[in-house]
Amino acid sequence: MRIGLPKEVKNHEYRVGLTPASVRELSSRGHQVLVQTGAGAAIGLTDEQYQAAGALLVADAAHVFAQADMIVKVKEPQPQECAMLRPGQILYTYLHLAPDPDQTAALIKSGAVCIAYETITGPGGGLPLLAPMSEVAGRMAVQAGAAHLEKSKGGMGVLLGGVPGVPAGHVVIIGAGVVGTHALQMAVGLGARVTVLDKNMERLRQLDLVFGNRINTVYSTAQSVDDAVLDAELVIGGVLIPGAAAPKLVTRDMVSRMKKGAVVVDVAIDQGGCFETSHATTHTEPTFVVDGVVHYCVANMPGAVARTSTFALNNATIAHAVALADKGWQQALKDDPHLRHGLNVANGHVTYEAVALALGYTYVNPNTLLS
């Protein structure tokens, strides 16, 4: 198979879909990998490293898209990239379609076979291709929140860990999954007062066993979210429903009653966000203010630590990339039900039920396309 690696074009996105090591893995199996010149240069992955791994360098993205049978990326294709996709071409990347009707329509129109990292499941449950970026984003959420609590960045001027004689800041984390767990590790490490809310009592018990009285675990209801948010200096939203739009757990009314200068970090913004007041921002302009509350809603947070994120992501994605290249998409999906869950759009149809329900499309079972 001929595999294409274009340079990412989203705002301040320096991650890359394949490292030289991943290229070598594919090349050694007889596949040709086309790499756009400079694709990994921003994070120290040089064209020479890619060539040494067996890649063929091409001048621009147009040549990559025109020649490749499968495109491997990191972020969802931008409009100019969607326009270059063609029927039957495989797109393997993050998509986050449920809150993005324009991208969904463009992918349907393209006729491409679109496999989303974030809905591929694992043998033990969970979302193993989303997990590494959720780990990064959870840890970054506390860093970003702490920084934006500084007065010069619009916050109330609070040091999360406090100092002797001054109380620590209160961090509220909504969702005790991968994002929430890594956020609370960072917040506890900083010495903050931490409250974690979730509806999964077993998960709350697990966290209580690990962290004990260093954190408060609270069953999530509308009332408990309201109470926690109003007391917080920093609120981190890490709620995920696989493939579907995130639920709006923090309402506009709650935000209006929060402390002035408090910060919210909406890690769920890729799926539409779990704060009613959220809208996606970029690394260039990461924040906005609603009712005196600073909102940090960057849709590609891990892109800020692009080198770490790239290697972590490749560890998770390369095995499925090899399977798709070796077998073709239909056989690879037949053989692996977990990879099959990644198929979101194919041949002009929506093949992931949560996306179809969110956007009003007819759902087509992916099994019907695997003949």
Side-chain angles (χ1 to χ4, degrees):
M1 184 178 285
R2 186 172 285 183
I3 300 151
L5 177 66
K7 184 176 182 179
E8 297 291 324
V9 295
K10 190 164 185 171
N11 178 274
H12 282 276
E13 185 52 77
Y14 306 113
R15 290 174 290 179
V16 64
L18 294 170
T19 62
S22 295
V23 169
R24 181 176 179 178
E25 195 74 15
L26 291 161
S27 298
S28 67
R29 303 174 76 91
H31 305 294
Q32 184 178 51
V33 185
L34 308 175
V35 175
Q36 182 179 348
T37 302
I43 56 172
L45 302 178
T46 66
D47 291 343
E48 291 74 22
Q49 288 174 305
Y50 280 108
Q51 283 182 308
L56 176 65
L57 295 178
V58 295
D60 53 39
H63 284 85
V64 173
F65 278 82
Q67 297 178 47
D69 303 306
M70 176 168 68
I71 299 293
V72 180
K73 282 176 41 62
V74 177
K75 287 306 290 176
E76 71 279 357
Q78 302 303 292
Q80 67 270 32
E81 295 176 309
C82 290
M84 291 189 283
L85 292 167
R86 62 178 186 273
Q89 189 175 39
I90 302 167
L91 174 66
Y92 180 52
T93 188
Y94 286 118
L95 292 175
H96 301 291
L97 294 179
D100 194 345
D102 291 342
Q103 185 201 168
T104 305
L107 295 181
I108 291 169
K109 181 180 178 181
S110 75
V113 175
C114 306
I115 298 171
Y117 296 160
E118 73 272 9
T119 60
I120 294 172
T121 54
L127 304 168
L129 278 67
L130 185 62
M133 296 303 94
S134 296
E135 291 166 354
V136 171
R139 294 180 179 219
M140 287 188 66
V142 176
Q143 291 183 185
H148 285 88
L149 277 169
E150 296 174 14
K151 197 67 182 172
S152 62
K153 295 186 178 177
M156 62 172 62
V158 166
L159 181 66
L160 276 184
V163 292
V166 181
H170 186 194
V171 178
V172 169
I173 300 168
I174 304 174
V178 177
V179 167
T181 300
H182 283 263
L184 77 87
Q185 288 176 341
M186 293 290 283
V188 167
L190 286 174
R193 182 163 61 97
V194 182
T195 299
V196 182
L197 298 103
D198 202 285
K199 286 186 176 295
N200 185 336
M201 280 302 303
E202 185 56 37
R203 182 63 186 144
L204 293 179
R205 289 190 182 96
Q206 292 169 355
L207 293 177
D208 183 73
L209 286 172
V210 173
F211 292 94
N213 61 8
R214 290 181 293 169
I215 66 171
N216 293 316
T217 58
V218 178
Y219 184 79
S220 181
T221 65
Q223 185 63 55
S224 64
V225 170
D226 193 316
D227 292 342
V229 163
L230 297 189
D231 189 60
E233 279 75 45
L234 170 61
V235 182
I236 295 170
V239 178
L240 175 71
I241 300 174
K248 305 296 184 186
L249 298 181
V250 179
T251 66
R252 184 175 296 274
D253 174 64
M254 290 179 195
V255 171
S256 72
R257 293 183 285 117
M258 287 178 66
K259 297 175 182 177
K260 304 309 174 189
V263 176
V264 301
V265 179
D266 198 342
V267 184
I269 195 64
D270 275 323
Q271 294 293 145
C274 57
F275 296 81
E276 195 173 21
T277 47
S278 290
H279 63 77
T281 61
T282 67
H283 289 289
T284 301
E285 297 182 23
T287 64
F288 59 92
V289 178
V290 176
D291 292 328
V293 176
V294 179
H295 288 57
Y296 183 99
C297 305
V298 176
N300 58 330
M301 285 177 64
V305 287
R307 186 175 174 91
T308 296
S309 297
T310 291
F311 284 95
L313 180 61
N314 271 245
N315 290 341
T317 59
I318 185 59
H320 289 306
V322 168
L324 289 165
D326 284 353
K327 301 177 181 180
W329 71 273
Q330 289 175 309
Q331 191 61 50
L333 269 60
K334 279 183 184 179
D335 292 347
D336 187 345
H338 299 292
L339 179 56
R340 198 182 313 150
H341 289 150
L343 190 66
N344 278 219
V345 173
N347 301 343
H349 303 290
V350 176
T351 55
Y352 197 81
E353 191 167 13
V355 173
L357 287 172
L359 298 178
Y361 287 98
T362 299
Y363 166 66
V364 174
N365 190 310
N367 293 323
T368 64
L369 304 178
L370 300 182
S371 58

